[in-house]
Structure formats: C-alpha cells, structure tokens
Amino acid sequence: MTTFKQLGLSTGILEALEDLGFETPTTIQEKAIPQLLDDQRDFIGLAQTGTGKTAAFGLPLLNLIDPMQQHTQALILAPTRELGQQIAEQIDLYSKYLPKINVLAVYGGAPIHTQIRALKRPQHIIIATPGRLIDLIKRKSVRLEELEYLVLDEADEMLNMGFKEELDRILSYTPSTKLTWLFSATMPAEIKRIVNDYMTDPLEVKVDRKNTVNSNIDHQFTFVNRTNKSEALTRFLDVEPDLMGVVFCRTKRDTRDLAEELVRRNYKADALHGDLSQPQRDRVMKRFKDHQLQVLIATDVAARGIDVNDLTHVFHYNLPDSNAYYTHRSGRTARAGKKGISIAFISSRETRKINSMERELGINFTKVRVPSADDIVANRMEQWCQAILDKNGHPEVGKKVLSMAENMFEDLSKEELIRRLMMNEMEKLNLNSHDLNASQEKRPQKRRPQGRDRKYGRRGAGRSHRKRDYGRRSKR
Ligand code: AMP
C-alpha cells in the first residue's frame, strides 16, 4: 500500500496529514500527487467530490509554492462560495506546519472591500468563484501575470452554472507559461473544448465513484434534544452490547461530564481530552484497546492519532465546525476494510448542515431513530435466546440441582416457563420507556434528499450474537 511519504510530500505536510488522521492516500491522490509534484505538465483529474480530490491538488500545490516569492503563484477556481471556503479550510489544515503561505478565498455575496483590503497583502494562493474574480481583476486587486498554477475545480459544475464566458475571460488573463490542472466529475463537450483551447498535452487520470474516501462508513443522523443526548447515547449502547465507539464532544468539559455520567450509570466509558498527561492518556487508550472500555468520549484535538481498528461506531454528540473534521471523526471507524457507523446527534435546525455535508463530502446520510425501549428489549432478548441456543453443555449442571429444578417447574407448561424466564431476564434491563424521538420529530422537516428512515443504527443483519455478557452491567 502506498503511503503519503512515498508520494514525495514534504515533512511539514506529512505531519499535518498525520494530525488529521489521513493514513493512506485515496486513489486520485495516489495517481495525481507524484505527477503534479514532478511533471511540469497540464493535468486532468476526472474525479467526484468525496474522492479526496481537494488534497490531490492542494497538497502538491503547497509543496510547490515558494513562500519567499511575494506574488500570486496559484489560483484555484471553484463554482460556489461553499466549495471555495471548503478548499480554503482544507488548505489551511494541510499547511499548518509549513512556512507561512498566504491563502485567501474570494467569492460573491461577501463585501468586496474587505476582500480588496486583504488582497493588498501578497496572497500566494487565491481561491475564487469566477464572477467575483473578474470584478477583482477589473479593479486591479488581483494580478495574475506571474501565475504558475491554475486549478479549475469542478469544472463541469462551473459550466453548468453558466460561467462559460467568465472562464474564457479568466483564462485569457493568465500567462501561457502557467500549468493548468483541471478537475471535473464528467467530461462534456464544453470541457473538451476548454482542454483543447487552453491546455497542452495534458495527462488524464480517472477515478470513479467507488473510490470515495471511505465507502464502508454508513453515515446516519438522528434528531435528539440537547437534554436527551446522554439518554439517547445509552440507548444505542444498550441495543448493541458489542458496540465499541468514540463519542465526539465539543469541549473538554463536555467529555468529562458525559464520561462521568456514563460511569455513574455503569457503562464502561472514559474521557480523552487535552488536559490529560501523556501517562494518563496512554492508560485510557490501553484500557480502550483492551476492550475494558466500551466508549471513549473525546474532543477532536485529543482524538488525533487514535489508532484502533475495531471501532464499530462514531458518535457526533455535537457536529464539528468543519467538514474536514467530520471526515476525520467518522474515519475512526470502518478501518482495515471493516464496516462502521457514524451517527450525528442533531437538532432539527441542523438539517441544513447535514444537507451541505452530503453535497460537499459526496456522502449520503440516512435518518435513524433513537432506539425505543421496545427495540432494546427485542434486540437483547433475541441475543439472550441465541446465547441459550449456543450453550454446549459446559459447565455441566449437577444432577441433583437439575432434578430439583425439574421438580420445581413440573407444573409449568413449556410456554409458561419460557414466559417467566424472559420476564426474569427483562427485569434486569430495567428500561426507561420514554420516547426520545418524539419532541423533535413533530416539527415539520425541511428537504431530506434521500427520504429514507431507519429504525435505528443497527449494523447489517446476520451478525454473530455470541460473546454476550448480560451480567456486566447493572442497569439504572
Ligand atoms: P474531497 O473529495 O476533496 O471533497 O474530500 C472529501 C473529504 O475527504 C475531505 O473532508 C477530506 O478531509 C477527506 N480526505 C481527503 N483525503 C483523505 C485521505 N487520504 N484519508 C482520509 N480522509 C481524506
């Protein structure tokens, strides 16, 4: 398997990738990065959002920019303000250990004067939407005479949005010596025309949808009131006793409070946050890896570099501020080819954020419900029955005890005996039947593109229900 180091990236960039938890390059990164670093040649990358294409051009660009040269060396054109911001955000994260590289995103819908002021300082990389860039060029705030790299991101989208003339115009302002890297999901005739008119002998690399960053992750979200979040979390833990997960919170304090509450309620949980000393952190991680903890409650910063392979779930107790962090968080699960679930606890007002993540990360979310008490009973009792079926005669029940029990149960029918055994088992679950979904779901919801709705986040059917241990937790 190729590593980022083998692709030829600098140490500063490698460190930033490690912090972000990017372990291996995606297909487009593997194919594009060495070419873009070494080849002084135009490039076409046919890749969708979600394939890691931003890093595929962003990382080599950062490697190639000379921070000592005080002029605009690279221009990245993006069809929308959101994509522009997203690119700027990613470049910012990738460049954190590099000598200061100035990056500025300019787009319509924001005050132009602020952007003009920012452009008075030399900007090594400008990220722009086409319309606003032309305005800024006309006002002589952006100068492209010494441009070395032009990246056209989502070129097909730019044309779909009617930026054909703007593109032609911008291309005419750039020097013929620059290199053009064009990224597009599709190759319609109009893109072919741009390639023919403005690019020289480009190298073409294509990756398809199945090469998205991690297609083994099932992305889900559920509506929960803030006050019900910890209860909702325990429902998910109750319904899946084999679950092993990380719960992401926004602040150190949230992680501590939640971990304390879970421990009080006899769940095997602990917090991982920036105030822990290295030995304390190592101890928590060891307990987690040894499965002495079922859930780790962490902040984004503390969770960097968590390398545990068998996480089944990632919970977003709060949504992260940036999409890159969402990818980083959810990428803690579904590692080494396994499947995993990423569940976000959101309020109905955050539906927009989910929609925007779907668009910008190229992923689909499914709405799920917080498991109800009935779901938990059904699931746990099914597992209990399976555990009985799996019993193979060890340890032996002594003859005397067995005949005592047979005598005592003699007058009970098989049905009645099963019913009473189950009642006895269910009492141990001692569930709270309050429906946590109700309050949020009454509100009318805005557009949900997929319109799918699942009961709760169970992993695929057919899982083995062995290794169950009902005695390990006494319930509330
Ligand atoms: P993109 O296709 O550029 O929109 O990337 C989608 C998401 O994947 C971004 O949020 C990146 O942070 C993330 N990403 C990019 N490359 C990798 C990688 N090699 N490993 C893990 N995540 C990645």
Side-chain angles (χ1 to χ4, degrees), residues 204-238:
E204 187 175 309
V205 161
K206 185 175 177 181
V207 300
D208 52 38
R209 256 248 172 253
K210 72 176 189 319
N211 287 307
T212 42
V213 170
N214 191 340
S215 49
N216 281 341
I217 305 174
D218 187 355
H219 298 276
Q220 307 180 347
F221 70 91
T222 187
F223 290 119
V224 196
N225 284 331
R226 199 160 49 86
T227 45
N228 284 337
K229 281 189 181 178
S230 61
E231 177 64 29
L233 178 64
T234 60
R235 296 275 181 94
F236 282 101
L237 302 183
D238 286 345

Side-chain angles (χ1 to χ4, degrees), residues 173-427:
Y173 291 132
T174 59
S176 57
T177 47
K178 68 167 189 308
L179 291 176
T180 304
W181 303 345
L182 179 144
F183 285 80
S184 187
T186 55
M187 199 38 145
E190 193 50 33
I191 300 271
K192 287 202 184 110
R193 180 193 65 84
I194 291 188
V195 171
N196 290 336
D197 289 357
Y198 297 103
M199 294 171 74
T200 319
D201 183 29
L203 176 80
E204 187 175 309
V205 161
K206 185 175 177 181
V207 300
D208 52 38
R209 256 248 172 253
K210 72 176 189 319
N211 287 307
T212 42
V213 170
N214 191 340
S215 49
N216 281 341
I217 305 174
D218 187 355
H219 298 276
Q220 307 180 347
F221 70 91
T222 187
F223 290 119
V224 196
N225 284 331
R226 199 160 49 86
T227 45
N228 284 337
K229 281 189 181 178
S230 61
E231 177 64 29
L233 178 64
T234 60
R235 296 275 181 94
F236 282 101
L237 302 183
D238 286 345
V239 89
E240 289 263 11
D242 294 340
L243 180 157
M244 185 153 162
V246 175
V247 182
F248 283 93
C249 296
R250 210 184 283 284
T251 65
K252 291 174 201 168
R253 185 160 169 195
D254 292 345
T255 64
R256 258 193 310 254
D257 291 352
L258 181 60
E260 275 168 20
E261 182 182 344
L262 292 178
V263 169
R264 227 180 7 253
R265 292 167 62 174
N266 290 311
Y267 291 90
K268 298 191 220 160
D270 208 340
L272 194 71
H273 54 73
D275 285 351
L276 299 185
S277 65
Q278 193 57 42
Q280 284 173 320
R281 187 187 154 96
D282 292 346
R283 207 160 41 238
V284 174
M285 281 313 296
K286 178 159 188 329
R287 288 175 66 215
F288 190 47
K289 282 187 185 167
D290 292 348
H291 293 241
Q292 289 170 34
L293 296 176
Q294 188 186 15
V295 273
L296 201 61
I297 323 289
T299 55
D300 286 293
V301 176
R304 281 179 186 156
I306 291 182
D307 60 334
V308 180
N309 269 341
D310 33 13
L311 285 190
T312 59
H313 286 66
V314 165
F315 293 92
H316 309 262
Y317 209 68
N318 309 98
L319 281 179
D321 294 329
S322 87
N323 290 349
Y325 273 116
Y326 178 83
T327 316
H328 172 230
R329 286 175 172 192
S330 51
R332 305 293 86 205
T333 183
R335 286 153 61 119
K338 294 180 188 162
K339 296 227 174 275
I341 292 179
S342 165
I343 306 181
F345 287 2
I346 64 162
S347 69
S348 53
R349 264 177 297 144
E350 288 174 308
T351 315
R352 274 179 46 234
K353 283 198 189 168
I354 294 286
N355 291 332
S356 111
M357 281 200 279
E358 287 191 322
R359 270 195 318 275
E360 285 165 24
L361 299 178
I363 54 179
N364 288 322
F365 277 89
T366 315
K367 185 170 99 186
V368 296
R369 291 172 57 80
V370 176
S372 65
D374 285 350
D375 293 331
I376 296 170
V377 170
N379 208 346
R380 296 294 286 264
M381 293 317 290
E382 186 194 331
Q383 292 165 9
W384 180 78
C385 294
Q386 186 63 49
I388 291 178
L389 284 175
D390 291 346
K391 285 271 170 283
N392 60 6
H394 293 287
E396 262 327 318
V397 181
K399 275 201 178 120
K400 227 169 125 187
V401 196
L402 190 62
S403 73
M404 175 272 294
E406 282 170 0
N407 282 336
M408 287 184 79
F409 293 149
E410 201 175 31
D411 293 337
L412 294 181
S413 66
K414 176 183 166 192
E415 290 71 26
E416 186 57 17
L417 180 59
I418 292 176
R419 199 178 70 83
R420 293 194 191 188
L421 284 172
M422 292 190 82
M423 271 165 53
N424 192 51
E425 192 59 28
M426 274 164 60
E427 271 166 20

Side-chain angles (χ1 to χ4, degrees), residues 4 22 24 26 29 49-54 90 213 324 327 360-361:
F4 278 110
F22 290 11
T24 45
T26 63
Q29 290 162 2
T49 292
T51 52
K53 67 178 168 55
T54 314
Q90 286 204 45
V213 170
T327 316
E360 285 165 24
L361 299 178

